[in-house]
Short mmCIF file of all heavy atoms in Angstrom, two decimals:
data_model
loop_
_atom_site.label_atom_id
_atom_site.label_comp_id
_atom_site.label_asym_id
_atom_site.label_seq_id
_atom_site.Cartn_x
_atom_site.Cartn_y
_atom_site.Cartn_z
N TRP A 1 75.96 137.01 39.68
CA TRP A 1 75.55 138.21 38.96
C TRP A 1 74.20 138.00 38.28
O TRP A 1 73.29 138.81 38.43
CB TRP A 1 76.62 138.58 37.91
CG TRP A 1 76.28 139.82 37.15
CD1 TRP A 1 76.58 141.10 37.51
CD2 TRP A 1 75.57 139.90 35.92
NE1 TRP A 1 76.10 141.97 36.58
CE2 TRP A 1 75.47 141.27 35.58
CE3 TRP A 1 75.02 138.95 35.06
CZ2 TRP A 1 74.84 141.70 34.43
CZ3 TRP A 1 74.39 139.39 33.92
CH2 TRP A 1 74.30 140.76 33.61
N LEU A 2 74.05 136.90 37.56
CA LEU A 2 72.82 136.64 36.81
C LEU A 2 71.67 136.25 37.73
O LEU A 2 70.61 136.87 37.72
CB LEU A 2 73.05 135.55 35.77
CG LEU A 2 71.81 135.10 35.00
CD1 LEU A 2 71.28 136.24 34.15
CD2 LEU A 2 72.12 133.89 34.15
N PHE A 3 71.87 135.21 38.53
CA PHE A 3 70.77 134.71 39.36
C PHE A 3 70.43 135.62 40.54
O PHE A 3 69.32 135.59 41.05
CB PHE A 3 71.04 133.28 39.83
CG PHE A 3 70.81 132.27 38.74
CD1 PHE A 3 71.86 131.72 38.05
CD2 PHE A 3 69.52 131.89 38.41
CE1 PHE A 3 71.64 130.80 37.04
CE2 PHE A 3 69.28 130.98 37.41
CZ PHE A 3 70.34 130.43 36.71
N GLY A 4 71.38 136.45 40.96
CA GLY A 4 71.05 137.44 41.98
C GLY A 4 70.00 138.41 41.49
O GLY A 4 69.03 138.72 42.19
N ARG A 5 70.15 138.88 40.27
CA ARG A 5 69.17 139.79 39.68
C ARG A 5 67.84 139.08 39.41
O ARG A 5 66.76 139.62 39.70
CB ARG A 5 69.72 140.38 38.38
CG ARG A 5 70.80 141.40 38.63
CD ARG A 5 71.66 141.64 37.38
NE ARG A 5 72.59 142.74 37.53
CZ ARG A 5 73.68 142.71 38.26
NH1 ARG A 5 73.98 141.63 38.96
NH2 ARG A 5 74.48 143.76 38.32
N LEU A 6 67.93 137.90 38.82
CA LEU A 6 66.71 137.15 38.51
C LEU A 6 65.93 136.79 39.78
O LEU A 6 64.70 136.90 39.83
CB LEU A 6 67.04 135.88 37.72
CG LEU A 6 67.56 136.07 36.30
CD1 LEU A 6 67.95 134.73 35.70
CD2 LEU A 6 66.53 136.78 35.44
N HIS A 7 66.67 136.37 40.81
CA HIS A 7 65.99 135.99 42.05
C HIS A 7 65.38 137.21 42.75
O HIS A 7 64.30 137.10 43.34
CB HIS A 7 66.94 135.26 43.01
CG HIS A 7 66.27 134.89 44.28
ND1 HIS A 7 65.26 133.96 44.34
CD2 HIS A 7 66.43 135.35 45.54
CE1 HIS A 7 64.82 133.86 45.59
NE2 HIS A 7 65.52 134.69 46.34
N GLY A 8 66.04 138.33 42.69
CA GLY A 8 65.47 139.54 43.27
C GLY A 8 64.13 139.88 42.64
O GLY A 8 63.15 140.18 43.33
N ALA A 9 64.08 139.83 41.31
CA ALA A 9 62.82 140.11 40.61
C ALA A 9 61.77 139.04 40.90
O ALA A 9 60.59 139.34 41.11
CB ALA A 9 63.08 140.20 39.11
N ALA A 10 62.21 137.78 40.93
CA ALA A 10 61.27 136.68 41.20
C ALA A 10 60.72 136.77 42.62
O ALA A 10 59.53 136.50 42.85
CB ALA A 10 61.95 135.33 40.98
N PHE A 11 61.53 137.16 43.58
CA PHE A 11 61.07 137.28 44.95
C PHE A 11 60.03 138.39 45.09
O PHE A 11 59.00 138.22 45.75
CB PHE A 11 62.25 137.54 45.90
CG PHE A 11 61.83 137.69 47.33
CD1 PHE A 11 61.48 136.58 48.08
CD2 PHE A 11 61.75 138.95 47.91
CE1 PHE A 11 61.08 136.72 49.41
CE2 PHE A 11 61.34 139.10 49.23
CZ PHE A 11 61.00 137.97 49.98
N ILE A 12 60.29 139.53 44.46
CA ILE A 12 59.31 140.62 44.51
C ILE A 12 58.01 140.19 43.84
O ILE A 12 56.91 140.45 44.38
CB ILE A 12 59.89 141.89 43.84
CG1 ILE A 12 61.01 142.45 44.72
CG2 ILE A 12 58.80 142.94 43.61
CD1 ILE A 12 61.81 143.55 44.06
N ALA A 13 58.10 139.50 42.71
CA ALA A 13 56.90 138.99 42.04
C ALA A 13 56.16 138.00 42.93
O ALA A 13 54.93 138.02 43.01
CB ALA A 13 57.27 138.34 40.71
N TYR A 14 56.91 137.13 43.62
CA TYR A 14 56.29 136.15 44.51
C TYR A 14 55.52 136.84 45.63
O TYR A 14 54.39 136.45 45.95
CB TYR A 14 57.35 135.21 45.09
CG TYR A 14 56.78 134.22 46.08
CD1 TYR A 14 56.11 133.08 45.63
CD2 TYR A 14 56.90 134.41 47.45
CE1 TYR A 14 55.57 132.18 46.53
CE2 TYR A 14 56.37 133.52 48.34
CZ TYR A 14 55.70 132.40 47.89
OH TYR A 14 55.16 131.50 48.79
N VAL A 15 56.11 137.86 46.24
CA VAL A 15 55.44 138.57 47.33
C VAL A 15 54.16 139.23 46.82
O VAL A 15 53.09 139.11 47.44
CB VAL A 15 56.38 139.61 47.98
CG1 VAL A 15 55.62 140.54 48.91
CG2 VAL A 15 57.49 138.90 48.74
N LEU A 16 54.23 139.89 45.67
CA LEU A 16 53.05 140.56 45.12
C LEU A 16 51.95 139.57 44.75
O LEU A 16 50.78 139.77 45.08
CB LEU A 16 53.44 141.40 43.91
CG LEU A 16 54.34 142.60 44.20
CD1 LEU A 16 54.76 143.29 42.90
CD2 LEU A 16 53.67 143.58 45.14
N VAL A 17 52.32 138.48 44.08
CA VAL A 17 51.33 137.47 43.69
C VAL A 17 50.74 136.79 44.92
O VAL A 17 49.55 136.48 44.95
CB VAL A 17 51.94 136.45 42.70
CG1 VAL A 17 51.03 135.26 42.48
CG2 VAL A 17 52.24 137.13 41.37
N THR A 18 51.55 136.58 45.94
CA THR A 18 51.05 135.98 47.18
C THR A 18 50.00 136.87 47.84
O THR A 18 48.97 136.39 48.31
CB THR A 18 52.21 135.70 48.16
OG1 THR A 18 53.11 134.79 47.54
CG2 THR A 18 51.71 135.11 49.45
N ILE A 19 50.26 138.16 47.87
CA ILE A 19 49.29 139.09 48.46
C ILE A 19 47.98 139.07 47.67
O ILE A 19 46.89 139.00 48.25
CB ILE A 19 49.88 140.51 48.56
CG1 ILE A 19 51.01 140.52 49.59
CG2 ILE A 19 48.81 141.54 48.90
CD1 ILE A 19 51.85 141.78 49.58
N VAL A 20 48.08 139.12 46.35
CA VAL A 20 46.88 139.09 45.51
C VAL A 20 46.15 137.75 45.67
O VAL A 20 44.92 137.72 45.82
CB VAL A 20 47.23 139.35 44.03
CG1 VAL A 20 46.04 139.13 43.13
CG2 VAL A 20 47.76 140.78 43.87
N ALA A 21 46.89 136.65 45.65
CA ALA A 21 46.26 135.32 45.79
C ALA A 21 45.57 135.18 47.14
O ALA A 21 44.48 134.61 47.23
CB ALA A 21 47.31 134.23 45.61
N SER A 22 46.20 135.69 48.18
CA SER A 22 45.59 135.55 49.51
C SER A 22 44.26 136.30 49.59
O SER A 22 43.36 135.86 50.29
CB SER A 22 46.55 136.03 50.60
OG SER A 22 46.71 137.43 50.55
N ARG A 23 44.15 137.39 48.88
CA ARG A 23 42.90 138.16 48.89
C ARG A 23 41.84 137.51 48.00
O ARG A 23 40.70 137.35 48.40
CB ARG A 23 43.16 139.59 48.40
CG ARG A 23 44.18 140.37 49.22
CD ARG A 23 43.67 140.68 50.57
NE ARG A 23 42.48 141.50 50.41
CZ ARG A 23 41.96 142.26 51.32
NH1 ARG A 23 42.54 142.31 52.49
NH2 ARG A 23 40.89 142.97 51.10
N ARG A 24 42.23 137.15 46.80
CA ARG A 24 41.25 136.61 45.84
C ARG A 24 40.81 135.18 46.16
O ARG A 24 39.71 134.78 45.81
CB ARG A 24 41.79 136.67 44.43
CG ARG A 24 41.87 138.09 43.91
CD ARG A 24 42.04 138.09 42.44
NE ARG A 24 42.09 139.46 41.95
CZ ARG A 24 42.42 139.78 40.73
NH1 ARG A 24 42.75 138.83 39.87
NH2 ARG A 24 42.44 141.04 40.36
N LEU A 25 41.70 134.42 46.76
CA LEU A 25 41.38 133.02 47.08
C LEU A 25 40.92 132.87 48.53
O LEU A 25 40.76 131.76 49.01
CB LEU A 25 42.58 132.12 46.80
CG LEU A 25 43.03 132.11 45.33
CD1 LEU A 25 44.28 131.25 45.18
CD2 LEU A 25 41.94 131.62 44.42
N TRP A 26 40.74 133.98 49.22
CA TRP A 26 40.19 134.00 50.57
C TRP A 26 40.99 133.15 51.54
O TRP A 26 40.44 132.39 52.33
CB TRP A 26 38.73 133.60 50.58
CG TRP A 26 37.84 134.43 49.72
CD1 TRP A 26 38.13 135.61 49.14
CD2 TRP A 26 36.51 134.12 49.34
NE1 TRP A 26 37.06 136.06 48.41
CE2 TRP A 26 36.05 135.17 48.52
CE3 TRP A 26 35.65 133.07 49.61
CZ2 TRP A 26 34.77 135.18 47.97
CZ3 TRP A 26 34.40 133.09 49.07
CH2 TRP A 26 33.97 134.14 48.26
N TRP A 27 42.32 133.28 51.51
CA TRP A 27 43.15 132.53 52.43
C TRP A 27 43.00 133.11 53.83
O TRP A 27 42.93 134.33 54.00
CB TRP A 27 44.62 132.63 52.04
CG TRP A 27 45.01 131.86 50.82
CD1 TRP A 27 44.23 130.98 50.13
CD2 TRP A 27 46.26 131.91 50.16
NE1 TRP A 27 44.94 130.48 49.06
CE2 TRP A 27 46.18 131.03 49.06
CE3 TRP A 27 47.42 132.61 50.37
CZ2 TRP A 27 47.24 130.84 48.19
CZ3 TRP A 27 48.49 132.42 49.51
CH2 TRP A 27 48.39 131.54 48.44
N PRO A 28 43.03 132.26 54.85
CA PRO A 28 43.09 132.78 56.22
C PRO A 28 44.42 133.52 56.42
O PRO A 28 45.39 133.26 55.72
CB PRO A 28 43.04 131.53 57.09
CG PRO A 28 42.54 130.43 56.21
CD PRO A 28 42.90 130.81 54.81
N GLY A 29 44.47 134.42 57.38
CA GLY A 29 45.68 135.21 57.62
C GLY A 29 46.91 134.36 57.87
O GLY A 29 48.00 134.66 57.40
N LYS A 30 46.72 133.25 58.60
CA LYS A 30 47.85 132.36 58.90
C LYS A 30 48.44 131.76 57.62
O LYS A 30 49.66 131.68 57.47
CB LYS A 30 47.37 131.26 59.84
CG LYS A 30 48.45 130.31 60.30
CD LYS A 30 47.88 129.28 61.26
CE LYS A 30 48.94 128.29 61.68
NZ LYS A 30 48.40 127.29 62.61
N THR A 31 47.58 131.38 56.69
CA THR A 31 48.04 130.82 55.42
C THR A 31 48.82 131.86 54.63
O THR A 31 49.87 131.55 54.05
CB THR A 31 46.85 130.30 54.60
OG1 THR A 31 46.16 129.31 55.36
CG2 THR A 31 47.31 129.69 53.28
N ALA A 32 48.33 133.09 54.61
CA ALA A 32 49.01 134.15 53.88
C ALA A 32 50.39 134.44 54.47
O ALA A 32 51.36 134.61 53.74
CB ALA A 32 48.16 135.41 53.87
N VAL A 33 50.48 134.47 55.78
CA VAL A 33 51.76 134.73 56.45
C VAL A 33 52.75 133.59 56.16
O VAL A 33 53.92 133.83 55.86
CB VAL A 33 51.58 134.93 57.96
CG1 VAL A 33 52.90 134.92 58.70
CG2 VAL A 33 50.82 136.22 58.23
N ILE A 34 52.29 132.36 56.23
CA ILE A 34 53.16 131.21 55.93
C ILE A 34 53.63 131.26 54.48
O ILE A 34 54.79 130.98 54.18
CB ILE A 34 52.45 129.89 56.26
CG1 ILE A 34 52.26 129.76 57.77
CG2 ILE A 34 53.23 128.69 55.71
CD1 ILE A 34 51.38 128.61 58.19
N ALA A 35 52.73 131.64 53.57
CA ALA A 35 53.10 131.75 52.16
C ALA A 35 54.18 132.81 51.97
O ALA A 35 55.14 132.60 51.21
CB ALA A 35 51.88 132.08 51.32
N LEU A 36 54.05 133.94 52.64
CA LEU A 36 55.06 134.99 52.54
C LEU A 36 56.39 134.54 53.15
O LEU A 36 57.46 134.79 52.58
CB LEU A 36 54.57 136.26 53.21
CG LEU A 36 53.46 137.00 52.47
CD1 LEU A 36 52.88 138.11 53.34
CD2 LEU A 36 53.96 137.56 51.15
N LEU A 37 56.33 133.87 54.29
CA LEU A 37 57.56 133.38 54.92
C LEU A 37 58.23 132.28 54.10
O LEU A 37 59.45 132.11 54.18
CB LEU A 37 57.26 132.88 56.33
CG LEU A 37 56.90 133.96 57.36
CD1 LEU A 37 56.51 133.31 58.69
CD2 LEU A 37 58.03 134.95 57.53
N ALA A 38 57.46 131.56 53.30
CA ALA A 38 58.03 130.50 52.45
C ALA A 38 58.95 131.07 51.38
O ALA A 38 59.77 130.33 50.82
CB ALA A 38 56.91 129.69 51.80
N GLY A 39 58.85 132.35 51.12
CA GLY A 39 59.74 132.96 50.13
C GLY A 39 61.15 133.19 50.64
O GLY A 39 62.05 133.47 49.86
N VAL A 40 61.38 133.03 51.94
CA VAL A 40 62.69 133.33 52.51
C VAL A 40 63.64 132.13 52.44
O VAL A 40 64.74 132.26 51.89
CB VAL A 40 62.55 133.87 53.95
CG1 VAL A 40 63.91 134.14 54.57
CG2 VAL A 40 61.71 135.15 53.95
N PRO A 41 63.30 130.95 52.99
CA PRO A 41 64.25 129.83 52.88
C PRO A 41 64.30 129.28 51.45
O PRO A 41 63.30 129.31 50.74
CB PRO A 41 63.66 128.76 53.81
CG PRO A 41 62.57 129.41 54.56
CD PRO A 41 62.15 130.61 53.80
N PRO A 42 65.46 128.80 51.05
CA PRO A 42 65.58 128.25 49.69
C PRO A 42 64.59 127.10 49.45
O PRO A 42 64.45 126.20 50.27
CB PRO A 42 67.02 127.74 49.62
CG PRO A 42 67.73 128.51 50.67
CD PRO A 42 66.73 128.78 51.75
#
């Protein structure tokens, strides 16, 4: 109950911050995709 809610919010924050970081830090597309996929496995 607790960590399901916390993890849902943390995952959404991770995706948003990853998108912003990939743009501002000039990551190549492959790096950005790997960063987004890294949010799926524990």
Side-chain angles (χ1 to χ4, degrees):
W1 181 87
L2 175 65
F3 283 102
R5 287 161 172 73
L6 292 175
H7 179 67
F11 179 76
I12 291 170
Y14 177 79
V15 168
L16 293 175
V17 169
T18 299
I19 292 169
V20 172
S22 70
R23 302 291 299 199
R24 290 196 179 169
L25 299 176
W26 303 347
W27 288 352
K30 183 178 178 180
T31 301
V33 168
I34 292 171
L36 289 170
L37 291 175
V40 178

